[in-house]
Amino acid sequence: MSPRSSAAVLVLVLSAGADGRAGLPKVWQLGSEAGWTRGTLIGTEVDAEGRLVLAAERRTVWGPGEGIVWDLAPDGPGAFVGLSGPARLVRLGADGATATWYEGGEDTLVTAVVADGRGGAYFATAPDGVVWRASGPGSIEEVARTGASFVWALLREGDRLWAATGQPGAVMELQAGRPPVRLVETGDDPVRSLARAGGDVVAGTGTRGRILRVQTAAAAQARSFVLFDADFPEIVAVAAQADGSILALALGERRAPGPPPALAAERVVVRPEAPPEEGANPEPSTPPRPSPQPPPAPAGTATLYRFEPDGDVQELWRAQETPHALVVDGEGMLRIGTGDRGHLYRIDSQGQTRSVVRIGSDTITVLRVGPEGSLWVGAARDARVERLGRERGSRGSYQTEPIDAGWTARWGRVEWDGWLPGGARVRVRARVGNTEEPDETWTPWQEVRAEGSATSLGSFPPARRVQLELSLEAGRGGSPALRSLRVHYQPLNRAPRITKLEIQPAGIAWQRTRTQGSLAVEPLTSKDPVAQDALGAIQSVRMPAGAIRKAYEVGARTFVWEAEDPDGDPLRFRLELRREGDLEWFPVAEGLDETFYSWDTRHVPDGRYRVRLVADDGDGNPPGSGRQALRESEPFDVDHTAPRIEKLHAVLEGVRVSLEFEAVDAGGAVAAVEYAFGEEPWVPIHPLDGVADSEREVYRVGLEAPPDARTLRLRVTDRSGNVGGALETLRQTRKPP
């Protein structure tokens, strides 16, 4: 064998992929049990070292077909299969021939099967809870009526037969021609699984998650022990090892944490049941209508426990999958089948995963070991029976999940590490597309030529997703063993996005400082109403991080924006100006890295304008591949012309002043008008229409003047903060009374 390693490349590409910017290539990789098992294993498995290798040779013995496989029982070179939807007992021959020995209605389930050791089989049906013996096609005889709705498991040793029931729950010993003997009654806690351990029967329950050990040497003196009261939703399977330890596979999280209770003994009620009277219904209540579904098992956590002969309890293995089946294979290894993605785990006595295989169906319902050591697998979803040998196959494949770059990307090199024995081969096919799941819009599968342990996807068009298929072929030295798989890709640069562009009130200026940000609470020029209103608005503006000084400056206009780049590229900004009605944009500022800009408008003629913000991510990308985003502002006015007072007429009659005038702001809008007698404070007044908002406003008011008033001052402020006014000398038109 010759090692093919890319460790140095791996370090390099991981360093490159750590930066989030679009300008750098990225790497998708897998190289662990969890990573490999997210893909589709077809004739391949993940071994104890987390490598992808060829799996044991697997053959589909029966199916895929209609219904689901509830149970199966190897018998010599063949097996019996219990199916539902419709209910059937099928005999599988060594030569692949099949024969239906029993067929029930659509409302019937065959829930448990065990070989009888004489070429036939025992099987159970639901919802009548009857156990039958089949000795040939159509040759069926009743063994016992359990009085329960479901028989979840059958266990045989020699001439003794036990049944696990639900509704109600019990462990029964059955014998043809005699009433069932109830060894354990569990009531509303159904017994879901059985195993033989020494001279006892071990049972797992399906609601309270208890594990019971039942002494069955003499039915009349049976006793049971609660080995474990785990309070799990369900103990889905139990098994025994040659050293006397007991295995239990639990579903879900334990609801009552803490050490297991001490072994507790309880006297078991042994109650032979009298045979039913002719025509009587032995069932305690009308059973529910069954449906051809696998045993109920909500998604959760699979936990494997081992109970040592000395009473010690160990948590041996755990996985975030839904367990269904457990068996000890011919080599003493533990096999667990799950119902999430049809994973078949091979686990050693220390709880270490030795391999993971995926079965064609998504749900493994039953595992059994044949006399010659082969492993039989029954599955739901697409009912099938598969048999795994003990030697590795010569060919297999692996498909990754669709690999998502997050955005349209150019796909580059595919690399793998591992051992390639003499004569062994690894071939790669790929396809790309943009939908979440591959469909007809994806490119066809295309084989890509490998150069040693790498190949290139450069011939594929840019796309968001790629899927790879690796085909493994054994050589003279055995199976290829791949440690890791990596795919390099270059996401295409995405344009930045400007999410906000706002214009602050006229006269507000922002400046970044080196000290803690401060607020200038006083204007630097005057206290006119527009300035005071603008200063109040400063308090409500959400500021960029950092120290910002804000002040009032005549002629200032401040633009504030928010922008983001989906690739994390650094952004530079440019501001441009255009007068309403014109076509040409004039530069205002460029190369900005702040998210605000304060602009002195005093050199710009009066008029209505817009600014355009340009965000550019060129600094984070190769030359020529940068992208831009544009956003225009709402229109705003540049107004340097002071408003004025026209047609002023003030008449003093005693202490009353009749005041008439017009406030005019050419090209803008009047914002406020105030008056004051002498040196008294300014007092606002409103125009005749009630709102100061136009280029020309008419005022007509009567004022009460102080007795010594001789002068009247008027101040008018426009929307841009420009201030004008007038002075008027007051003269009496008649003497006061």
Side-chain angles (χ1 to χ4, degrees):
M1 296 185 182
S2 58
R4 299 185 181 275
S5 176
S6 304
V9 176
L10 176 60
V11 173
L12 175 61
V13 299
L14 285 179
S15 300
D19 195 302
R21 294 185 298 168
L24 295 176
K26 295 177 173 57
V27 180
W28 174 93
Q29 72 169 356
L30 55 80
S32 64
E33 173 193 312
W36 289 114
T37 55
R38 283 195 294 267
T40 302
L41 299 157
I42 306 173
T44 53
E45 66 180 17
V46 185
D47 69 7
E49 299 180 31
R51 303 178 303 178
L52 181 70
V53 297
L54 290 168
E57 191 170 5
R58 189 171 83 229
R59 182 170 68 92
T60 299
V61 182
W62 183 88
E66 184 181 6
I68 65 170
V69 175
W70 282 79
D71 202 358
L72 64 85
D75 183 47
F80 290 98
V81 183
L83 295 149
S84 296
R88 285 161 291 166
L89 178 68
V90 175
R91 169 70 181 183
L92 305 180
D95 57 357
T98 62
T100 300
W101 284 24
Y102 165 83
E103 186 166 2
E106 290 288 343
D107 294 343
T108 303
L109 309 178
V110 174
T111 55
V113 179
V114 65
D116 66 4
R118 293 171 286 176
Y122 295 103
F123 68 98
T125 57
D128 53 12
V130 177
V131 177
W132 310 82
R133 180 176 177 271
S135 56
S139 181
I140 308 297
E141 62 176 320
E142 182 178 305
V143 175
R145 289 184 172 268
T146 65
S149 297
F150 294 92
V151 176
W152 290 117
L154 290 172
L155 175 66
R156 184 190 68 84
E157 185 177 78
D159 294 331
R160 303 185 72 180
L161 180 66
W162 295 273
T165 69
Q167 296 184 3
V171 177
M172 299 183 182
E173 186 168 349
L174 309 178
Q175 190 172 354
R178 296 184 182 180
V181 177
R182 295 193 179 188
L183 306 179
V184 174
E185 292 181 344
T186 59
D188 61 356
D189 190 14
V191 181
R192 293 298 303 274
S193 50
L194 295 175
R196 193 70 165 150
D200 300 334
V201 169
V202 178
T205 70
T207 300
R208 293 177 56 188
R210 294 189 301 171
I211 303 164
L212 309 175
R213 183 165 190 155
V214 184
Q215 296 176 346
T216 61
Q221 299 177 356
R223 295 178 63 86
S224 74
F225 297 86
V226 178
L227 291 180
F228 198 42
D229 189 355
D231 202 20
F232 280 99
E234 185 175 354
I235 302 298
V236 298
V238 290
Q241 291 183 291
D243 62 0
S245 60
I246 296 170
L247 303 167
L249 184 59
L251 167 64
E253 298 290 345
R254 188 179 178 196
R255 295 190 294 271
L263 296 182
E266 63 180 48
R267 181 67 180 171
V268 179
V269 178
V270 181
R271 184 182 304 130
E273 295 187 354
E277 298 180 3
E278 185 176 353
N281 183 2
E283 300 171 0
S285 60
T286 302
R289 178 186 178 94
S291 59
Q293 298 294 327
T301 301
T303 306
L304 180 64
Y305 288 97
R306 180 167 61 200
F307 303 85
E308 303 290 353
D310 61 4
D312 185 31
V313 181
Q314 300 178 28
E315 181 181 307
L316 200 62
W317 176 85
R318 177 176 287 208
Q320 292 297 320
E321 296 197 46
T322 302
H324 280 290
L326 166 69
V327 74
V328 180
D329 67 17
E331 299 178 358
M333 303 288 271
L334 315 181
R335 300 289 189 126
I336 293 176
T338 71
D340 297 84
R341 306 188 65 179
H343 285 153
L344 175 60
Y345 289 90
R346 189 168 186 251
I347 301 167
D348 65 18
S349 60
Q350 303 303 312
Q352 299 297 313
T353 302
R354 311 309 295 178
S355 68
V356 186
V357 180
R358 187 181 181 195
I359 303 302
S361 174
D362 287 339
T363 301
I364 297 174
T365 54
V366 59
L367 297 173
R368 297 286 185 262
V369 177
E372 78 288 2
S374 62
L375 185 68
W376 293 74
V377 181
R381 301 285 174 88
D382 54 350
R384 67 173 70 200
V385 175
E386 298 189 353
R387 185 166 63 183
L388 279 69
R390 305 181 73 168
E391 301 295 330
R392 295 192 185 277
S394 60
R395 295 174 182 270
S397 66
Y398 174 79
Q399 283 186 4
T400 66
E401 290 184 309
I403 301 167
D404 188 357
W407 186 249
T408 305
R410 295 186 180 92
W411 297 95
R413 286 172 61 83
V414 177
E415 300 171 337
W416 60 89
D417 297 338
W419 292 87
L420 201 62
R425 295 181 59 194
V426 175
R427 294 182 295 113
V428 180
R429 294 199 309 165
R431 58 180 176 178
V432 299
N434 291 303
T435 58
E436 187 172 356
E437 294 295 334
D439 57 20
E440 66 278 359
T441 66
W442 282 50
T443 63
W445 284 107
Q446 178 181 332
E447 186 166 353
V448 289
R449 183 181 299 277
E451 299 174 2
S453 60
T455 187
S456 175
L457 304 177
S459 62
F460 286 88
R464 174 169 174 168
R465 295 176 175 88
V466 68
Q467 187 177 30
L468 303 178
E469 181 184 72
L470 306 180
S471 296
L472 280 63
E473 298 179 12
R476 297 182 300 276
S479 168
L482 305 186
R483 288 191 296 265
S484 65
L485 174 67
R486 297 180 296 276
V487 183
H488 300 250
Y489 62 97
Q490 175 68 65
L492 300 185
N493 184 33
R494 289 177 283 181
R497 190 165 68 98
I498 301 172
T499 58
K500 183 177 76 172
L501 175 58
E502 294 181 349
I503 305 172
Q504 297 297 294
I508 296 298
W510 291 10
Q511 183 179 12
R512 180 76 67 183
T513 67
R514 295 184 180 180
T515 60
Q516 184 176 358
S518 61
L519 172 66
V521 295
E522 297 292 332
L524 304 184
T525 52
S526 65
K527 293 184 179 180
D528 63 78
V530 171
Q532 294 289 0
D533 184 66
L535 285 169
I538 289 176
Q539 299 283 7
S540 63
V541 175
R542 187 167 65 88
M543 299 297 300
I548 302 292
R549 180 180 182 272
K550 296 165 284 185
Y552 184 79
E553 296 283 357
V554 174
R557 275 290 186 176
T558 297
F559 309 104
V560 182
W561 59 87
E562 292 179 1
E564 59 188 24
D565 189 272
D567 303 315
D569 297 332
L571 296 177
R572 293 280 183 178
F573 303 100
R574 182 172 75 251
L575 279 171
E576 300 171 335
L577 179 74
R578 185 181 70 182
R579 190 165 187 163
E580 288 283 77
D582 291 348
L583 300 177
E584 190 71 25
W585 289 94
F586 293 90
V588 173
E590 62 182 350
L592 304 174
D593 55 10
E594 296 275 18
T595 56
F596 69 92
Y597 183 73
S598 293
W599 176 48
D600 184 359
T601 67
R602 288 176 296 177
H603 67 286
V604 178
D606 289 3
R608 175 156 287 197
Y609 293 87
R610 293 178 188 264
V611 293
R612 181 171 68 181
L613 178 68
V614 182
D616 192 304
D617 68 356
D619 286 357
N621 291 278
S625 62
R627 301 284 298 278
Q628 292 183 342
L630 306 175
R631 183 159 179 164
E632 292 186 16
S633 72
E634 298 293 330
F636 64 95
D637 293 321
V638 173
D639 180 9
H640 305 302
T641 304
R644 61 186 184 276
I645 301 294
E646 295 182 352
K647 301 179 182 180
L648 175 61
H649 183 62
V651 177
L652 177 62
E653 297 179 351
V655 294
R656 297 286 297 176
V657 176
S658 297
L659 180 63
E660 296 183 11
F661 65 92
E662 293 183 5
V664 180
D665 184 51
V670 174
V673 172
E674 303 155 286
Y675 76 92
F677 290 107
E679 297 298 322
E680 291 189 354
W682 292 104
V683 179
I685 54 177
H686 297 298
L688 289 180
D689 61 9
V691 180
D693 58 1
S694 302
E695 183 176 324
R696 181 179 294 272
E697 296 286 354
V698 177
Y699 292 80
R700 187 177 300 119
V701 295
L703 306 175
E704 185 172 346
D708 57 348
R710 294 291 179 268
T711 60
L712 173 68
R713 293 181 295 149
L714 292 174
R715 182 170 71 176
V716 55
T717 308
D718 66 17
R719 192 177 297 164
S720 297
N722 301 302
V723 180
L727 298 174
E728 182 72 9
T729 301
L730 299 177
R731 295 182 177 83
Q732 288 281 356
T733 58
R734 63 182 179 85
K735 291 182 179 181

